[in-house]
Amino acid sequence: MVAEPILLDRHRPPSTLPLLDWTTLADAFETACLLRCMPPPAAPRQRLVRLPARPATIEFNREEAARRTRQLLDRLDIPVRHERAVGGLRRRYELHRLDVPREHRSAYVAMVENGWHRGRRELLGGPVPGASTARRLRRTGLAAAAWRAALLAGGRHVRRHILGVRITDRELAAVLVRGAALLDVPAMLRPGTGCYLVSVAHGPDRDRILHHAGEETAHRPVA
């Protein structure tokens, strides 16, 4: 497993965030990972080290990612409008836009930020001495949620010898590397031009990641 240590030691979560039950945490964390898969808005001449803003309007170019995000927000009691637009002339493309109503945006931002901080801490904080079997299983559930989000919304990089995802968010890249380790899969992190490539080997490692990533949606189909 190859990772840059700095990726694993940034943005310690505030201690004042309200606690979330494990089911809510898993949904909020996966939502946050889906949003972090999307490229940040262009900001020339500015390089700010901070969490990306949570836009009230979310755009995906993959229907599966939009549907999954809508399902998760629905389970978090955050209403959202889903619109589909088709564009392009010679090359047609679809854009799926999710819009959170104004009166629910504060709750939406707070839930997603809380889910990200709590989930990231569980995955990157290392094993907890005396942690119960249930907690260890829930940590693997968070790892699976991160990979599910990346495979749905990230840039897939598939070759004969690897399964990879391109991620622009360095913290999410670190979460994927650590998450793979929790799923007993070694992952490789490779910086690229404007992104990070996180990959696992073809064969049993790839199959294990795909199995865990598809487990939750197999039991609770995407709406």
Side-chain angles (χ1 to χ4, degrees):
M1 180 175 69
V2 179
E4 298 175 9
I6 190 173
L7 290 175
L8 306 181
D9 296 317
R10 300 176 62 224
H11 292 309
R12 298 188 182 278
S15 59
T16 56
L17 291 173
L19 293 176
L20 301 175
D21 64 79
W22 281 101
T23 300
T24 303
L25 171 58
D27 288 347
F29 179 67
E30 186 176 342
T31 302
C33 291
L34 282 160
L35 299 184
R36 282 175 174 264
C37 287
M38 306 310 297
R45 300 178 185 175
Q46 288 186 342
R47 298 190 64 177
L48 302 179
V49 180
R50 61 174 181 171
L51 289 172
R54 303 296 172 209
T57 300
I58 315 152
E59 294 183 344
F60 293 99
N61 56 13
R62 297 178 185 173
E63 183 178 4
E64 294 85 357
R67 291 172 63 201
R68 179 62 177 168
T69 304
R70 186 186 68 190
Q71 181 195 42
L72 291 167
L73 290 175
D74 181 67
R75 286 175 3 193
L76 294 168
D77 294 324
I78 298 172
V80 64
R81 292 187 292 270
H82 182 181
E83 298 178 353
R84 172 180 169 270
V86 179
L89 297 175
R90 298 182 63 181
R91 287 190 173 186
R92 307 292 285 176
Y93 64 89
E94 287 188 0
L95 186 66
H96 295 268
R97 182 178 293 113
L98 303 178
D99 185 67
V100 178
R102 184 181 300 275
E103 63 271 23
H104 296 278
R105 290 175 187 174
S106 294
Y108 153 72
V109 170
M111 179 64 74
V112 172
E113 291 296 338
N114 193 355
W116 170 254
H117 283 304
R118 297 288 183 190
R120 179 185 179 278
R121 185 179 66 181
E122 285 291 330
L123 291 182
L124 301 187
V128 179
S132 65
T133 300
R135 182 168 187 175
R136 290 195 296 271
L137 288 174
R138 286 162 178 160
R139 291 181 75 217
T140 63
L142 293 175
W147 271 96
R148 182 162 49 248
L151 291 169
L152 280 175
R156 281 210 187 193
H157 184 86
V158 181
R159 296 292 184 268
R160 284 190 303 175
H161 62 294
I162 66 166
L163 168 66
V165 287
R166 289 191 178 94
I167 301 295
T168 58
D169 186 277
R170 60 185 290 159
E171 290 189 78
L172 179 57
V175 162
L176 291 174
V177 171
R178 183 62 64 82
L182 287 172
L183 299 175
D184 295 324
V185 175
M188 178 173 289
L189 173 64
R190 184 174 302 167
T193 303
C195 69
Y196 299 89
L197 174 63
V198 184
S199 62
V200 300
H202 187 75
D205 292 344
R206 170 188 176 275
D207 293 344
R208 189 171 181 83
I209 288 291
L210 292 177
H211 168 74
H212 281 284
E215 202 169 39
E216 200 271 359
T217 49
H219 292 94
R220 300 171 76 171
V222 177

